[in-house]
Short mmCIF file of all heavy atoms in Angstrom, two decimals:
data_model
loop_
_atom_site.label_atom_id
_atom_site.label_comp_id
_atom_site.label_asym_id
_atom_site.label_seq_id
_atom_site.Cartn_x
_atom_site.Cartn_y
_atom_site.Cartn_z
N MET A 1 -258.94 -91.08 37.69
CA MET A 1 -259.13 -90.37 36.47
C MET A 1 -260.14 -89.25 36.70
O MET A 1 -261.06 -89.40 37.48
CB MET A 1 -259.66 -91.30 35.38
CG MET A 1 -258.75 -92.50 35.07
SD MET A 1 -257.16 -92.07 34.41
CE MET A 1 -257.55 -91.74 32.73
N LYS A 2 -259.91 -88.17 35.97
CA LYS A 2 -260.86 -87.05 36.06
C LYS A 2 -261.12 -86.49 34.68
O LYS A 2 -260.34 -86.70 33.74
CB LYS A 2 -260.30 -85.94 36.96
CG LYS A 2 -259.09 -85.22 36.40
CD LYS A 2 -258.65 -84.12 37.37
CE LYS A 2 -257.41 -83.35 36.85
NZ LYS A 2 -257.07 -82.26 37.76
N ARG A 3 -262.22 -85.80 34.55
CA ARG A 3 -262.55 -85.14 33.29
C ARG A 3 -262.40 -83.64 33.49
O ARG A 3 -262.88 -83.10 34.48
CB ARG A 3 -264.01 -85.46 32.88
CG ARG A 3 -264.41 -84.75 31.59
CD ARG A 3 -265.83 -84.99 31.25
NE ARG A 3 -266.16 -84.33 29.98
CZ ARG A 3 -267.36 -84.28 29.48
NH1 ARG A 3 -268.37 -84.86 30.11
NH2 ARG A 3 -267.60 -83.65 28.36
N ILE A 4 -261.70 -82.99 32.56
CA ILE A 4 -261.59 -81.56 32.61
C ILE A 4 -261.92 -80.96 31.26
O ILE A 4 -261.72 -81.58 30.22
CB ILE A 4 -260.21 -81.05 33.11
CG1 ILE A 4 -259.10 -81.44 32.15
CG2 ILE A 4 -259.90 -81.53 34.52
CD1 ILE A 4 -257.79 -80.72 32.47
N ILE A 5 -262.46 -79.75 31.33
CA ILE A 5 -262.71 -78.96 30.14
C ILE A 5 -261.95 -77.64 30.41
O ILE A 5 -262.18 -76.99 31.45
CB ILE A 5 -264.18 -78.69 29.90
CG1 ILE A 5 -264.92 -80.00 29.68
CG2 ILE A 5 -264.39 -77.76 28.70
CD1 ILE A 5 -266.44 -79.89 29.57
N TYR A 6 -261.03 -77.28 29.54
CA TYR A 6 -260.21 -76.12 29.80
C TYR A 6 -259.78 -75.41 28.53
O TYR A 6 -259.82 -75.96 27.42
CB TYR A 6 -258.97 -76.52 30.62
CG TYR A 6 -257.95 -77.37 29.88
CD1 TYR A 6 -256.77 -76.80 29.40
CD2 TYR A 6 -258.13 -78.74 29.68
CE1 TYR A 6 -255.85 -77.59 28.73
CE2 TYR A 6 -257.20 -79.49 29.03
CZ TYR A 6 -256.04 -78.92 28.54
OH TYR A 6 -255.10 -79.67 27.89
N GLU A 7 -259.38 -74.14 28.70
CA GLU A 7 -258.76 -73.37 27.65
C GLU A 7 -257.28 -73.50 27.86
O GLU A 7 -256.77 -73.07 28.88
CB GLU A 7 -259.16 -71.91 27.74
CG GLU A 7 -260.63 -71.62 27.50
CD GLU A 7 -260.92 -70.16 27.75
OE1 GLU A 7 -261.21 -69.83 28.90
OE2 GLU A 7 -260.85 -69.37 26.77
N PRO A 8 -256.54 -74.12 26.92
CA PRO A 8 -255.11 -74.29 27.14
C PRO A 8 -254.35 -73.01 27.07
O PRO A 8 -254.76 -72.06 26.40
CB PRO A 8 -254.71 -75.26 26.01
CG PRO A 8 -255.76 -75.08 24.96
CD PRO A 8 -256.99 -74.68 25.65
N ALA A 9 -253.24 -72.97 27.79
CA ALA A 9 -252.34 -71.80 27.71
C ALA A 9 -251.65 -71.80 26.34
O ALA A 9 -251.54 -72.87 25.71
CB ALA A 9 -251.32 -71.89 28.83
N ILE A 10 -251.19 -70.68 25.92
CA ILE A 10 -250.49 -70.56 24.65
C ILE A 10 -249.25 -71.46 24.69
O ILE A 10 -248.46 -71.38 25.64
CB ILE A 10 -250.09 -69.10 24.38
CG1 ILE A 10 -251.38 -68.27 24.20
CG2 ILE A 10 -249.21 -68.98 23.15
CD1 ILE A 10 -251.14 -66.80 24.12
N GLY A 11 -249.10 -72.29 23.67
CA GLY A 11 -247.94 -73.19 23.59
C GLY A 11 -248.00 -74.44 24.43
O GLY A 11 -247.09 -75.25 24.41
N GLU A 12 -249.09 -74.63 25.16
CA GLU A 12 -249.25 -75.81 26.01
C GLU A 12 -249.53 -77.03 25.18
O GLU A 12 -250.32 -77.00 24.25
CB GLU A 12 -250.40 -75.59 27.01
CG GLU A 12 -250.56 -76.65 28.02
CD GLU A 12 -251.57 -76.31 29.08
OE1 GLU A 12 -252.46 -75.44 28.83
OE2 GLU A 12 -251.51 -76.89 30.16
N THR A 13 -248.92 -78.16 25.54
CA THR A 13 -249.17 -79.43 24.87
C THR A 13 -250.51 -79.96 25.32
O THR A 13 -250.80 -80.04 26.53
CB THR A 13 -248.06 -80.46 25.19
OG1 THR A 13 -246.82 -79.90 24.77
CG2 THR A 13 -248.29 -81.77 24.48
N ILE A 14 -251.33 -80.40 24.36
CA ILE A 14 -252.66 -80.94 24.63
C ILE A 14 -252.60 -82.46 24.56
O ILE A 14 -252.00 -83.00 23.63
CB ILE A 14 -253.67 -80.38 23.59
CG1 ILE A 14 -253.78 -78.85 23.76
CG2 ILE A 14 -255.03 -81.03 23.76
CD1 ILE A 14 -254.55 -78.17 22.65
N PRO A 15 -253.21 -83.17 25.51
CA PRO A 15 -253.21 -84.64 25.46
C PRO A 15 -253.75 -85.16 24.14
O PRO A 15 -254.71 -84.62 23.59
CB PRO A 15 -254.07 -85.04 26.64
CG PRO A 15 -254.05 -83.88 27.56
CD PRO A 15 -253.93 -82.66 26.70
N SER A 16 -253.18 -86.25 23.65
CA SER A 16 -253.60 -86.81 22.36
C SER A 16 -255.04 -87.34 22.37
O SER A 16 -255.65 -87.49 21.31
CB SER A 16 -252.64 -87.92 21.92
OG SER A 16 -252.66 -88.96 22.88
N THR A 17 -255.57 -87.64 23.53
CA THR A 17 -256.95 -88.17 23.64
C THR A 17 -258.02 -87.10 23.75
O THR A 17 -259.18 -87.38 23.90
CB THR A 17 -257.04 -89.08 24.87
OG1 THR A 17 -256.65 -88.35 26.03
CG2 THR A 17 -256.16 -90.31 24.71
N ALA A 18 -257.57 -85.85 23.68
CA ALA A 18 -258.49 -84.69 23.86
C ALA A 18 -259.38 -84.47 22.67
O ALA A 18 -259.04 -84.74 21.54
CB ALA A 18 -257.69 -83.43 24.18
N VAL A 19 -260.55 -83.87 22.95
CA VAL A 19 -261.49 -83.39 21.95
C VAL A 19 -261.49 -81.87 22.10
O VAL A 19 -261.67 -81.34 23.18
CB VAL A 19 -262.90 -83.96 22.18
CG1 VAL A 19 -263.89 -83.37 21.20
CG2 VAL A 19 -262.88 -85.47 22.12
N THR A 20 -261.35 -81.16 20.97
CA THR A 20 -261.37 -79.70 20.98
C THR A 20 -262.62 -79.22 20.29
O THR A 20 -262.97 -79.74 19.22
CB THR A 20 -260.14 -79.13 20.30
OG1 THR A 20 -258.97 -79.63 20.95
CG2 THR A 20 -260.10 -77.64 20.34
N TYR A 21 -263.34 -78.27 20.89
CA TYR A 21 -264.53 -77.72 20.28
C TYR A 21 -264.81 -76.30 20.79
O TYR A 21 -264.18 -75.83 21.74
CB TYR A 21 -265.73 -78.61 20.49
CG TYR A 21 -266.09 -78.94 21.93
CD1 TYR A 21 -266.87 -78.10 22.71
CD2 TYR A 21 -265.66 -80.13 22.51
CE1 TYR A 21 -267.21 -78.42 24.02
CE2 TYR A 21 -265.99 -80.45 23.82
CZ TYR A 21 -266.76 -79.59 24.56
OH TYR A 21 -267.10 -79.90 25.86
N THR A 22 -265.78 -75.64 20.21
CA THR A 22 -266.18 -74.30 20.63
C THR A 22 -267.48 -74.39 21.43
O THR A 22 -268.45 -75.02 20.96
CB THR A 22 -266.39 -73.39 19.40
OG1 THR A 22 -265.18 -73.39 18.65
CG2 THR A 22 -266.78 -71.99 19.79
N LEU A 23 -267.47 -73.81 22.62
CA LEU A 23 -268.69 -73.82 23.45
C LEU A 23 -269.75 -72.95 22.78
O LEU A 23 -269.44 -71.89 22.22
CB LEU A 23 -268.38 -73.28 24.84
CG LEU A 23 -267.51 -74.19 25.72
CD1 LEU A 23 -267.09 -73.47 27.00
CD2 LEU A 23 -268.22 -75.46 26.02
N PRO A 24 -271.00 -73.43 22.79
CA PRO A 24 -272.07 -72.77 22.03
C PRO A 24 -272.49 -71.37 22.51
O PRO A 24 -272.85 -70.52 21.70
CB PRO A 24 -273.26 -73.72 22.13
CG PRO A 24 -273.00 -74.55 23.35
CD PRO A 24 -271.51 -74.62 23.48
N VAL A 25 -272.39 -71.09 23.80
CA VAL A 25 -272.87 -69.81 24.32
C VAL A 25 -271.73 -68.78 24.32
O VAL A 25 -271.85 -67.69 23.76
CB VAL A 25 -273.47 -69.94 25.73
CG1 VAL A 25 -273.88 -68.62 26.28
CG2 VAL A 25 -274.67 -70.91 25.70
N SER A 26 -270.60 -69.13 24.93
CA SER A 26 -269.50 -68.19 25.09
C SER A 26 -268.61 -68.08 23.86
O SER A 26 -267.90 -67.09 23.71
CB SER A 26 -268.63 -68.60 26.29
OG SER A 26 -268.02 -69.85 26.01
N GLY A 27 -268.60 -69.12 23.03
CA GLY A 27 -267.73 -69.12 21.85
C GLY A 27 -266.28 -69.44 22.18
O GLY A 27 -265.42 -69.35 21.31
N MET A 28 -266.00 -69.86 23.42
CA MET A 28 -264.67 -70.22 23.82
C MET A 28 -264.26 -71.57 23.18
O MET A 28 -265.08 -72.50 23.15
CB MET A 28 -264.53 -70.39 25.34
CG MET A 28 -264.59 -69.11 26.08
SD MET A 28 -264.38 -69.39 27.88
CE MET A 28 -266.02 -70.02 28.33
N VAL A 29 -263.04 -71.64 22.71
CA VAL A 29 -262.50 -72.89 22.21
C VAL A 29 -261.86 -73.62 23.41
O VAL A 29 -261.03 -73.07 24.11
CB VAL A 29 -261.44 -72.69 21.12
CG1 VAL A 29 -260.81 -73.99 20.69
CG2 VAL A 29 -262.06 -71.99 19.93
N VAL A 30 -262.38 -74.85 23.67
CA VAL A 30 -261.94 -75.59 24.85
C VAL A 30 -261.42 -76.98 24.47
O VAL A 30 -261.74 -77.49 23.38
CB VAL A 30 -263.06 -75.72 25.90
CG1 VAL A 30 -263.44 -74.37 26.46
CG2 VAL A 30 -264.27 -76.42 25.30
N VAL A 31 -260.69 -77.55 25.41
CA VAL A 31 -260.20 -78.93 25.29
C VAL A 31 -260.99 -79.73 26.34
O VAL A 31 -261.10 -79.32 27.49
CB VAL A 31 -258.68 -78.98 25.60
CG1 VAL A 31 -258.21 -80.43 25.65
CG2 VAL A 31 -257.91 -78.22 24.54
N ASP A 32 -261.51 -80.87 25.94
CA ASP A 32 -262.31 -81.74 26.79
C ASP A 32 -261.58 -83.06 26.80
O ASP A 32 -261.37 -83.70 25.76
CB ASP A 32 -263.72 -81.86 26.18
CG ASP A 32 -264.72 -82.55 27.10
OD1 ASP A 32 -264.33 -83.16 28.10
OD2 ASP A 32 -265.93 -82.42 26.79
N VAL A 33 -261.17 -83.52 27.99
CA VAL A 33 -260.34 -84.73 28.07
C VAL A 33 -260.46 -85.43 29.39
O VAL A 33 -260.76 -84.80 30.42
CB VAL A 33 -258.84 -84.35 27.78
CG1 VAL A 33 -258.28 -83.46 28.85
CG2 VAL A 33 -257.98 -85.55 27.55
N ILE A 34 -260.27 -86.73 29.39
CA ILE A 34 -260.18 -87.53 30.62
C ILE A 34 -258.69 -87.79 30.83
O ILE A 34 -257.99 -88.29 29.95
CB ILE A 34 -260.98 -88.83 30.48
CG1 ILE A 34 -262.47 -88.49 30.32
CG2 ILE A 34 -260.75 -89.73 31.72
CD1 ILE A 34 -263.32 -89.68 29.96
N VAL A 35 -258.21 -87.44 32.03
CA VAL A 35 -256.78 -87.50 32.33
C VAL A 35 -256.57 -88.10 33.72
O VAL A 35 -257.52 -88.27 34.48
CB VAL A 35 -256.14 -86.09 32.28
CG1 VAL A 35 -256.12 -85.55 30.87
CG2 VAL A 35 -256.86 -85.12 33.21
N GLU A 36 -255.32 -88.35 34.05
CA GLU A 36 -254.94 -88.81 35.42
C GLU A 36 -255.29 -87.70 36.42
O GLU A 36 -255.29 -86.50 36.06
CB GLU A 36 -253.46 -89.09 35.46
CG GLU A 36 -253.02 -90.25 34.59
CD GLU A 36 -253.55 -91.61 35.04
OE1 GLU A 36 -253.77 -91.77 36.28
OE2 GLU A 36 -253.79 -92.46 34.18
N ASP A 37 -255.58 -88.08 37.64
CA ASP A 37 -255.92 -87.11 38.68
C ASP A 37 -254.84 -86.05 38.87
O ASP A 37 -255.13 -84.93 39.28
CB ASP A 37 -256.16 -87.80 40.01
CG ASP A 37 -257.39 -88.68 40.02
OD1 ASP A 37 -258.21 -88.60 39.03
OD2 ASP A 37 -257.59 -89.43 40.99
N SER A 38 -253.59 -86.39 38.58
CA SER A 38 -252.47 -85.46 38.81
C SER A 38 -252.28 -84.46 37.69
O SER A 38 -251.43 -83.58 37.78
CB SER A 38 -251.19 -86.27 38.99
OG SER A 38 -250.93 -87.03 37.83
N PHE A 39 -253.06 -84.56 36.59
CA PHE A 39 -252.89 -83.65 35.48
C PHE A 39 -253.16 -82.22 35.87
O PHE A 39 -254.12 -81.92 36.59
CB PHE A 39 -253.87 -84.05 34.33
CG PHE A 39 -253.78 -83.16 33.13
CD1 PHE A 39 -252.86 -83.37 32.14
CD2 PHE A 39 -254.66 -82.09 32.99
CE1 PHE A 39 -252.76 -82.55 31.04
CE2 PHE A 39 -254.60 -81.24 31.87
CZ PHE A 39 -253.66 -81.47 30.90
N THR A 40 -252.32 -81.31 35.40
CA THR A 40 -252.50 -79.88 35.64
C THR A 40 -252.34 -79.14 34.33
O THR A 40 -251.77 -79.66 33.36
CB THR A 40 -251.49 -79.31 36.66
OG1 THR A 40 -250.17 -79.52 36.13
CG2 THR A 40 -251.66 -79.98 38.03
N THR A 41 -252.87 -77.94 34.28
CA THR A 41 -252.77 -77.11 33.09
C THR A 41 -252.40 -75.69 33.51
O THR A 41 -252.74 -75.27 34.63
CB THR A 41 -254.10 -77.07 32.29
OG1 THR A 41 -253.94 -76.19 31.20
CG2 THR A 41 -255.24 -76.64 33.15
N SER A 42 -251.72 -74.98 32.64
CA SER A 42 -251.42 -73.56 32.86
C SER A 42 -252.56 -72.71 32.32
O SER A 42 -252.56 -71.50 32.52
CB SER A 42 -250.10 -73.19 32.20
OG SER A 42 -249.04 -73.91 32.76
N GLY A 43 -253.50 -73.35 31.64
CA GLY A 43 -254.62 -72.66 31.08
C GLY A 43 -255.74 -72.40 32.09
O GLY A 43 -255.53 -72.54 33.30
N THR A 44 -256.92 -72.07 31.59
CA THR A 44 -258.08 -71.77 32.43
C THR A 44 -259.01 -72.97 32.47
O THR A 44 -259.55 -73.38 31.42
CB THR A 44 -258.83 -70.54 31.87
OG1 THR A 44 -257.91 -69.46 31.80
CG2 THR A 44 -260.01 -70.18 32.78
N VAL A 45 -259.21 -73.55 33.63
CA VAL A 45 -260.09 -74.72 33.79
C VAL A 45 -261.54 -74.22 33.87
O VAL A 45 -261.89 -73.38 34.69
CB VAL A 45 -259.73 -75.52 35.04
CG1 VAL A 45 -260.71 -76.67 35.23
CG2 VAL A 45 -258.30 -76.03 34.93
N ARG A 46 -262.40 -74.77 32.99
CA ARG A 46 -263.81 -74.42 32.97
C ARG A 46 -264.68 -75.49 33.66
O ARG A 46 -265.78 -75.25 34.09
CB ARG A 46 -264.31 -74.23 31.54
CG ARG A 46 -263.58 -73.15 30.79
CD ARG A 46 -263.86 -71.81 31.41
NE ARG A 46 -263.08 -70.76 30.78
CZ ARG A 46 -263.06 -69.51 31.21
NH1 ARG A 46 -263.75 -69.15 32.27
NH2 ARG A 46 -262.32 -68.62 30.61
N TYR A 47 -264.13 -76.72 33.72
CA TYR A 47 -264.82 -77.83 34.40
C TYR A 47 -263.77 -78.82 34.90
O TYR A 47 -262.82 -79.13 34.17
CB TYR A 47 -265.80 -78.56 33.44
CG TYR A 47 -266.36 -79.81 34.04
CD1 TYR A 47 -267.44 -79.77 34.92
CD2 TYR A 47 -265.84 -81.06 33.74
CE1 TYR A 47 -267.96 -80.91 35.49
CE2 TYR A 47 -266.34 -82.22 34.32
CZ TYR A 47 -267.42 -82.13 35.19
OH TYR A 47 -267.92 -83.26 35.76
N ASP A 48 -263.92 -79.30 36.11
CA ASP A 48 -263.06 -80.34 36.68
C ASP A 48 -263.92 -81.25 37.52
O ASP A 48 -264.54 -80.82 38.50
CB ASP A 48 -261.94 -79.71 37.51
CG ASP A 48 -260.91 -80.69 38.02
OD1 ASP A 48 -261.33 -81.77 38.49
OD2 ASP A 48 -259.72 -80.40 37.95
N SER A 49 -264.01 -82.54 37.14
CA SER A 49 -264.88 -83.44 37.83
C SER A 49 -264.48 -83.74 39.28
O SER A 49 -265.34 -84.14 40.07
CB SER A 49 -264.98 -84.77 37.06
OG SER A 49 -263.71 -85.41 37.00
N LEU A 50 -263.24 -83.53 39.63
CA LEU A 50 -262.79 -83.76 41.03
C LEU A 50 -262.80 -82.49 41.86
O LEU A 50 -263.01 -82.56 43.06
CB LEU A 50 -261.36 -84.37 41.04
CG LEU A 50 -261.21 -85.75 40.45
CD1 LEU A 50 -259.79 -86.20 40.57
CD2 LEU A 50 -262.14 -86.73 41.10
N GLU A 51 -262.56 -81.38 41.25
CA GLU A 51 -262.44 -80.14 42.02
C GLU A 51 -263.79 -79.42 42.22
O GLU A 51 -263.84 -78.40 42.90
CB GLU A 51 -261.48 -79.17 41.33
CG GLU A 51 -260.07 -79.70 41.22
CD GLU A 51 -259.39 -79.83 42.60
OE1 GLU A 51 -259.65 -78.98 43.47
OE2 GLU A 51 -258.67 -80.80 42.81
N GLY A 52 -264.84 -79.87 41.57
CA GLY A 52 -266.14 -79.29 41.74
C GLY A 52 -266.30 -77.99 40.95
O GLY A 52 -267.16 -77.18 41.25
N ILE A 53 -265.46 -77.81 39.94
CA ILE A 53 -265.61 -76.65 39.07
C ILE A 53 -266.63 -76.98 38.01
O ILE A 53 -266.44 -77.96 37.26
CB ILE A 53 -264.27 -76.25 38.42
CG1 ILE A 53 -263.23 -75.91 39.50
CG2 ILE A 53 -264.44 -75.10 37.45
CD1 ILE A 53 -261.83 -75.78 38.99
N ASN A 54 -267.71 -76.25 37.91
CA ASN A 54 -268.81 -76.56 37.01
C ASN A 54 -268.78 -75.67 35.77
O ASN A 54 -268.57 -74.47 35.88
CB ASN A 54 -270.16 -76.43 37.72
CG ASN A 54 -270.33 -77.49 38.77
OD1 ASN A 54 -270.04 -78.65 38.54
ND2 ASN A 54 -270.75 -77.08 39.94
N LEU A 55 -269.06 -76.25 34.65
CA LEU A 55 -269.16 -75.51 33.38
C LEU A 55 -270.44 -74.69 33.40
O LEU A 55 -271.50 -75.18 33.79
CB LEU A 55 -269.18 -76.51 32.22
CG LEU A 55 -269.04 -75.95 30.82
CD1 LEU A 55 -267.66 -75.24 30.67
CD2 LEU A 55 -269.14 -77.07 29.80
N SER A 56 -270.34 -73.46 32.99
CA SER A 56 -271.49 -72.52 33.09
C SER A 56 -272.44 -72.64 31.90
O SER A 56 -273.41 -71.87 31.83
CB SER A 56 -270.97 -71.09 33.19
OG SER A 56 -270.22 -70.76 32.06
N GLU A 57 -272.19 -73.57 30.99
CA GLU A 57 -273.10 -73.79 29.86
C GLU A 57 -273.03 -75.24 29.43
O GLU A 57 -272.14 -75.97 29.86
CB GLU A 57 -272.71 -72.86 28.68
CG GLU A 57 -271.30 -73.10 28.17
CD GLU A 57 -270.95 -72.11 27.07
OE1 GLU A 57 -271.36 -72.35 25.92
OE2 GLU A 57 -270.28 -71.12 27.35
N PRO A 58 -273.97 -75.71 28.61
CA PRO A 58 -273.98 -77.12 28.21
C PRO A 58 -272.74 -77.47 27.39
O PRO A 58 -272.37 -76.70 26.50
CB PRO A 58 -275.25 -77.24 27.37
CG PRO A 58 -276.03 -76.05 27.64
CD PRO A 58 -275.08 -74.97 28.07
N PRO A 59 -272.10 -78.62 27.66
CA PRO A 59 -271.00 -79.04 26.83
C PRO A 59 -271.54 -79.59 25.51
O PRO A 59 -272.70 -79.96 25.40
CB PRO A 59 -270.33 -80.15 27.66
CG PRO A 59 -271.51 -80.73 28.42
CD PRO A 59 -272.41 -79.56 28.72
N ILE A 60 -270.69 -79.68 24.51
CA ILE A 60 -271.07 -80.26 23.23
C ILE A 60 -270.81 -81.75 23.18
O ILE A 60 -271.53 -82.50 22.61
CB ILE A 60 -270.35 -79.54 22.07
CG1 ILE A 60 -270.84 -78.11 21.97
CG2 ILE A 60 -270.50 -80.28 20.74
CD1 ILE A 60 -270.12 -77.29 20.93
N HIS A 61 -269.73 -82.18 23.83
CA HIS A 61 -269.24 -83.54 23.70
C HIS A 61 -269.47 -84.28 25.02
O HIS A 61 -269.38 -83.69 26.10
CB HIS A 61 -267.75 -83.48 23.39
CG HIS A 61 -267.13 -84.83 23.31
ND1 HIS A 61 -266.51 -85.42 24.38
CD2 HIS A 61 -266.98 -85.70 22.27
CE1 HIS A 61 -266.03 -86.61 24.01
NE2 HIS A 61 -266.31 -86.79 22.76
N GLN A 62 -269.78 -85.59 24.94
CA GLN A 62 -269.88 -86.43 26.15
C GLN A 62 -269.04 -87.67 25.93
O GLN A 62 -269.19 -88.33 24.91
CB GLN A 62 -271.33 -86.83 26.46
CG GLN A 62 -272.17 -85.71 27.02
CD GLN A 62 -271.76 -85.25 28.42
OE1 GLN A 62 -270.92 -85.83 29.07
NE2 GLN A 62 -272.34 -84.16 28.86
N PHE A 63 -268.17 -88.00 26.87
CA PHE A 63 -267.46 -89.26 26.85
C PHE A 63 -268.44 -90.29 27.41
O PHE A 63 -269.25 -89.98 28.28
CB PHE A 63 -266.21 -89.21 27.74
CG PHE A 63 -265.14 -88.30 27.21
CD1 PHE A 63 -264.97 -87.02 27.67
CD2 PHE A 63 -264.27 -88.75 26.19
CE1 PHE A 63 -263.99 -86.22 27.20
CE2 PHE A 63 -263.29 -87.93 25.71
CZ PHE A 63 -263.15 -86.66 26.21
N ALA A 64 -268.38 -91.52 26.91
CA ALA A 64 -269.27 -92.59 27.41
C ALA A 64 -269.13 -92.73 28.93
O ALA A 64 -268.04 -92.93 29.43
CB ALA A 64 -268.97 -93.89 26.72
N GLY A 65 -270.21 -92.58 29.63
CA GLY A 65 -270.23 -92.76 31.09
C GLY A 65 -269.86 -91.53 31.88
O GLY A 65 -269.90 -91.54 33.10
N TRP A 66 -269.49 -90.44 31.22
CA TRP A 66 -269.12 -89.19 31.94
C TRP A 66 -270.14 -88.15 31.61
O TRP A 66 -270.38 -87.82 30.45
CB TRP A 66 -267.73 -88.69 31.47
CG TRP A 66 -266.62 -89.55 31.96
CD1 TRP A 66 -266.24 -90.74 31.44
CD2 TRP A 66 -265.77 -89.31 33.06
NE1 TRP A 66 -265.19 -91.24 32.15
CE2 TRP A 66 -264.86 -90.36 33.16
CE3 TRP A 66 -265.67 -88.25 33.96
CZ2 TRP A 66 -263.88 -90.45 34.12
CZ3 TRP A 66 -264.66 -88.32 34.93
CH2 TRP A 66 -263.80 -89.43 35.00
N GLU A 67 -270.75 -87.59 32.65
CA GLU A 67 -271.72 -86.52 32.45
C GLU A 67 -271.35 -85.33 33.35
O GLU A 67 -270.82 -85.53 34.42
CB GLU A 67 -273.11 -87.01 32.78
CG GLU A 67 -273.62 -88.05 31.81
CD GLU A 67 -275.05 -88.41 32.04
OE1 GLU A 67 -275.81 -87.56 32.57
OE2 GLU A 67 -275.41 -89.55 31.76
N ILE A 68 -271.69 -84.16 32.88
CA ILE A 68 -271.47 -82.97 33.70
C ILE A 68 -272.69 -82.72 34.53
O ILE A 68 -273.78 -82.83 34.06
CB ILE A 68 -271.13 -81.77 32.80
CG1 ILE A 68 -269.78 -82.00 32.16
CG2 ILE A 68 -271.15 -80.47 33.57
CD1 ILE A 68 -269.33 -80.88 31.25
#
């Protein structure tokens, strides 16, 4: 399992377990979700716990046991 924070592509289906919010600094609306390692998106990934992509600002939401 991995955690990703991303901006979904237009028309992309968002996982039902996702949390959507606006990042405080950039104002980007993002999806924050824990998914299978094989999950991919056509959108822009801002954080990926397996790929080493780091979010450039503090997240608003934290899943229990998952920290950026």
Side-chain angles (χ1 to χ4, degrees):
M1 302 296 281
K2 67 178 180 177
R3 179 182 181 185
I4 64 169
I5 299 174
Y6 68 102
E7 294 174 273
I10 295 172
E12 185 173 23
T13 301
I14 297 170
S16 62
T17 57
V19 175
T20 302
Y21 57 85
T22 303
L23 291 172
V25 177
S26 66
M28 288 183 282
V29 176
V30 295
V31 173
D32 191 345
V33 65
I34 297 171
V35 292
E36 296 293 329
D37 292 351
S38 60
F39 179 84
T40 60
T41 177
S42 297
T44 304
V45 176
R46 301 295 175 186
Y47 172 80
D48 185 316
S49 63
L50 294 182
E51 298 294 323
I53 300 170
N54 293 315
L55 191 62
S56 61
E57 61 183 279
I60 292 177
H61 179 267
Q62 287 292 352
F63 292 99
W66 288 79
E67 293 186 29
I68 291 180

